[in-house]
Amino acid sequence: MSGAEAPDAVDSRRPLWVVPHEVPAIVPLPSRSTEPRWVGVYRWAAVGGDLLAAMLGVSIALLTRFGYHVGSSYLVVSSVLPLAWVAAVALSKGYDSRFYGAGPDEFRSLLRAGVGLTAAVAMTSYVTKAEIARGFVVLAIPVMVVAALLLRYALRKDLHRHRVRGRCMHRVLVVGRSGPAATLCEHLESRPTDGFRVVATCRPRGDSNGSMHPEELDEPDILAAADRHAVEVVAIATDPELAGQSLRRLSWALEQRGIELIVSPGIIEVAGPRISVRPVAGLSLLHLERPSVSGGPHLMKAVFDRVVALGIVAVLSPVLIGLALAVKLSSSGPVLFRQQRVGRAGAEFTMLKFRSMYVDAEQRLSDLFALSDGNGVIFKMRNDPRMTPLGRWIRRFSLDELPQLFNVLRGDMSLVGPRPPLAEEVALYAADDSRRMLVKPGMTGLWQVSGRSDLSWDESVRLDLRYVDNWSMTLDLLILWKTVRAVFYGAGAY
């Protein structure tokens, strides 16, 4: 095995095999005997933020419940509660460096700490027969949790800004054969905010795209490469030769060196909730749960969609009326643009939008195909001459899509889901692409918060399939939260 071999020409557009880089001077090589300096800074900043959040929650609860007449017993409780909050977060793994900057676990730990602290205060009050006002606890801990979540979110965004500049990264050695290792390298480097920088690859000697008999992956060579490149993480691409006892011995050796081991199962588009490890016949087997596309969870989703859509329509009714009048007065033609789209299970429905183009837009479409800025399947133009001045503005902030709330109320669409396709787009689907129609199309989705019209067709389909395979109410709420930011900045909206 070689730790620093030149890559095979897999893709001429960008190197998929990332071999040892020249590391910029602003990124010092960390010592593996201790944590990188940025980890300690982040941890102490997180502890400080949690203490600040706790003091804020306690102060608001005291002033609201007692005003300026606070008893000595509550002063003691108010002094202990911030320390108890930090301890609860620590017990919930809220300061575990594995979760810094990526994934929801960092935020889940704060929520678990809030629930645990509430239970601990209630049990302590019961056991000691201490009279702690319920109004104080009910106000202090929720404010504490919300403030801690906001501060941790701000801290994470600051970390992301550093990572985009190449700082605060984990040095990674990727181990595996050409194809799987190249794919893993590409995915690890596609999102620098996750904090992984591939500095070397390690594969069997003689392994190439045309190799018929590659040698087995050798543990001593992997360890030598890890030592040579001072990596903090060894990432194993799917490989049948490096499994079982070999992988177990490698994990022991890396543990002694303080190096983290991660293993790609090869199911790259399936998220954690669908993957579980279960002991069967003395083995730890990876189980892949079927995606939820019907039944109770989707009934809950349908109820949630209609309740939220009805609430939004009620709150934004003046805006909807104002936009309807503006569209009517700004140019001739109907207020609403109606178009046939394909929904769940291939059923067609009429999608509603505020009209943003002149009435002859469809007739002029054939003359503009050659100028498309789209992705080869979807027609898009950044400066579409068919668009009205008002239409350009309402598209900038996705206001033209607000009438789709009525599609949600009718049950044709969901608040979150795959992009609703045209019938001619569906006709171009590959066999796997039709899987995106297992769920209702959405007003927003992963495509909306990941670039919208700036995405290629393959990227758009991949995001829709990822959503179908990993759907959950938590994911829907996260996408709705990110949609607000995407709409505000208008990225990819034209």
Side-chain angles (χ1 to χ4, degrees):
M1 173 174 293
S2 58
E5 297 179 11
D8 294 316
V10 179
D11 188 327
S12 60
R13 293 172 298 179
R14 65 184 297 273
L16 298 183
W17 285 95
V18 185
V19 295
H21 302 350
E22 288 295 329
V23 182
I26 58 174
V27 188
L29 297 181
S31 170
R32 289 201 312 226
S33 60
T34 59
E35 288 183 331
R37 181 174 177 274
W38 71 265
V39 173
V41 172
Y42 189 97
R43 180 178 291 116
W44 282 112
V47 172
D50 290 341
L51 284 172
L52 180 61
M55 290 187 287
L56 179 65
V58 167
S59 300
I60 291 176
L62 286 176
L63 290 174
T64 303
R65 184 67 176 81
F66 305 107
Y68 294 99
H69 305 285
V70 182
S72 58
S73 60
Y74 278 97
L75 290 177
V76 174
V77 172
S78 301
S79 301
V80 172
L81 203 55
L83 299 177
W85 166 246
V86 171
V89 175
L91 290 173
S92 299
K93 298 184 179 180
Y95 305 122
D96 193 328
S97 60
R98 293 177 300 168
F99 307 137
Y100 290 168
D105 293 282
E106 191 174 6
F107 300 113
R108 286 176 183 162
S109 65
L110 296 176
L111 296 175
R112 288 195 301 267
V115 174
L117 184 59
T118 303
V121 170
M123 292 178 61
T124 302
S125 176
Y126 175 77
V127 171
T128 62
K129 294 183 170 50
E131 295 295 333
I132 300 179
R134 285 173 294 181
F136 170 78
V137 176
V138 168
L139 185 58
I141 295 181
V143 170
M144 191 184 303
V145 172
V146 172
L149 287 169
L150 293 175
L151 290 172
R152 191 65 69 93
Y153 177 77
L155 184 61
R156 173 175 286 203
K157 298 306 291 184
D158 182 64
L159 177 61
H160 287 176
R161 283 190 289 271
H162 282 285
R163 284 178 169 174
V164 168
R165 295 180 177 92
R167 309 186 186 105
C168 306
M169 305 291 279
H170 298 288
R171 295 169 59 84
V172 182
L173 169 69
V174 172
V175 178
R177 302 182 188 279
S178 300
T183 301
L184 182 56
C185 285
E186 183 179 22
H187 280 272
L188 289 177
E189 294 207 317
S190 64
R191 290 182 50 170
T193 54
D194 286 346
F196 293 104
R197 175 191 292 145
V198 180
V199 297
T201 56
C202 196
R203 62 183 183 183
R205 295 189 187 93
D207 180 32
S208 64
N209 292 338
S211 176
M212 298 299 293
H213 302 287
E215 298 179 9
E216 291 188 3
L217 298 169
D218 195 358
E219 176 194 336
D221 286 340
I222 298 173
L223 297 176
D227 291 335
R228 182 163 58 252
H229 299 293
V231 300
E232 302 164 77
V233 179
V234 170
I236 307 295
T238 308
D239 195 297
E241 299 295 341
L242 191 59
Q245 190 62 25
S246 298
L247 186 59
R248 191 181 186 191
R249 286 196 303 267
L250 177 63
S251 69
W252 292 340
L254 293 175
E255 180 184 349
Q256 293 176 350
R257 287 167 166 77
I259 300 176
E260 184 179 353
L261 175 67
I262 58 177
V263 181
S264 168
I267 314 172
I268 58 176
E269 296 296 340
V270 178
R274 286 187 56 205
I275 298 177
S276 60
V277 177
R278 302 178 193 167
V280 177
L283 300 173
S284 296
L285 301 182
L286 192 68
H287 285 249
L288 182 63
E289 307 293 345
R290 291 185 298 176
S292 173
V293 295
S294 61
H298 274 264
L299 177 61
M300 181 173 64
K301 177 181 172 72
V303 173
F304 174 81
D305 285 340
R306 285 176 168 82
V307 170
V308 173
L310 185 61
I312 294 175
V313 169
V315 171
L316 297 184
S317 54
V319 176
L320 292 170
I321 294 172
L323 286 172
L325 290 174
V327 171
K328 186 65 178 177
L329 297 175
S330 63
S331 61
S332 61
V335 171
L336 295 177
F337 173 71
R338 293 174 169 84
Q339 190 176 47
Q340 290 299 112
R341 296 290 181 113
V342 181
R344 185 179 183 185
E348 293 195 2
F349 68 96
T350 303
M351 189 183 75
L352 304 177
K353 299 176 72 173
F354 281 126
R355 182 175 56 83
S356 60
M357 295 185 174
Y358 295 105
V359 290
D360 62 344
E362 292 296 317
Q363 289 73 30
R364 297 165 60 186
L365 178 61
S366 58
D367 299 329
L368 300 173
F369 261 120
L371 304 176
S372 174
D373 296 316
N375 50 32
V377 177
I378 303 173
F379 176 84
K380 288 284 184 179
M381 284 188 69
R382 294 183 183 275
N383 298 301
D384 198 324
R386 303 172 300 158
M387 203 174 299
T388 66
L390 176 66
R392 198 176 304 280
W393 182 79
I394 62 176
R395 279 203 179 191
R396 168 70 173 76
F397 296 102
S398 299
L399 297 176
D400 61 319
E401 298 178 3
L402 288 178
Q404 292 172 26
L405 290 167
F406 295 99
N407 286 117
V408 176
L409 291 173
R410 290 192 314 202
D412 298 326
M413 295 178 63
S414 175
L415 289 175
V416 182
R419 192 189 67 83
L422 295 166
E424 51 265 33
E425 294 172 11
V426 175
L428 298 175
Y429 280 3
D432 294 340
D433 298 346
S434 59
R435 185 175 176 81
R436 70 198 301 197
M437 291 187 292
L438 288 176
V439 298
K440 292 180 183 178
M443 290 183 62
T444 184
L446 284 176
W447 51 274
Q448 177 91 347
V449 300
S450 303
R452 290 190 272 188
S453 298
D454 291 336
L455 297 172
S456 69
W457 173 252
D458 289 339
E459 289 172 330
S460 177
V461 171
R462 180 174 58 82
L463 288 172
D464 284 343
L465 294 179
R466 179 187 295 177
Y467 175 81
V468 172
D469 282 339
N470 301 297
W471 174 85
S472 68
M473 284 302 301
T474 302
L475 180 59
D476 276 9
L477 293 174
L478 180 62
I479 291 173
L480 289 172
W481 168 259
K482 290 187 175 182
T483 297
V484 176
R485 183 178 60 183
V487 169
F488 180 78
Y489 287 108
Y494 53 88

